[in-house]
Amino acid sequence: VQLQASGGGLEQPGGSLRLSCAASGSIFRINAMGWYRQAPGKQRELVAAITSGGTTNYADSVKGRFTISRDNAKNTVYLQMNSLKPEDTAVYYCNAGVHTNTRPWLEVDYWGKGTQVTVSS
């Protein structure tokens, strides 16, 4: 199973970016999917998560600005980031709890490689 993230880049404060993360491979089912971020010198933190049923959870710092969504048919999770701030600068990682076809009873956490988001004027 692989998670491929895309959509990062350089944006000015107040701007918007949309991240995508597609899971591929021998997938039986995906439970929760989420986005984490890690800024230089800081620990990785949860940004937003979404269950297979669509229940969402956000870090307080991004509530009202970021929106997480998913397309279960495409095994893809999205993060729409609006009103970006310099403090949103970080490497963003996607995460998924995956049940594979070979071990459908077992949930394994998979991580994407990360995509850089830089917010600067």
Side-chain angles (χ1 to χ4, degrees):
V1 175
Q2 291 186 330
L3 271 62
Q4 182 65 50
S6 61
L10 174 64
E11 184 56 71
Q12 293 185 345
S16 299
L17 285 172
R18 188 187 192 218
L19 305 183
S20 300
C21 178
S24 62
S26 183
I27 297 170
F28 177 73
R29 184 178 77 247
I30 300 178
N31 288 338
M33 302 183 81
W35 289 95
Y36 291 72
R37 67 186 181 188
Q38 187 167 20
K42 294 187 177 181
Q43 290 188 334
R44 189 175 297 189
E45 63 175 358
L46 174 69
V47 176
I50 184 169
T51 67
S52 57
T55 300
T56 58
N57 180 42
Y58 295 93
D60 288 342
S61 59
V62 306
K63 283 181 180 177
R65 301 189 297 121
F66 291 9
T67 302
I68 189 170
S69 61
R70 65 189 283 174
D71 185 333
N72 290 330
K74 295 181 179 180
N75 291 330
T76 299
V77 62
Y78 306 95
L79 186 68
Q80 178 66 43
M81 304 184 293
N82 298 329
S83 302
L84 283 163
K85 302 177 180 180
E87 50 263 43
D88 295 320
T89 296
V91 177
Y92 284 69
Y93 299 89
C94 59
N95 168 268
V98 180
H99 295 254
T100 64
N101 287 322
T102 54
R103 295 180 180 180
W105 63 88
L106 180 67
E107 179 173 321
V108 178
D109 258 0
Y110 287 90
W111 292 87
K113 288 187 177 180
T115 184
Q116 177 70 47
V117 171
T118 302
V119 184
S120 174
S121 55

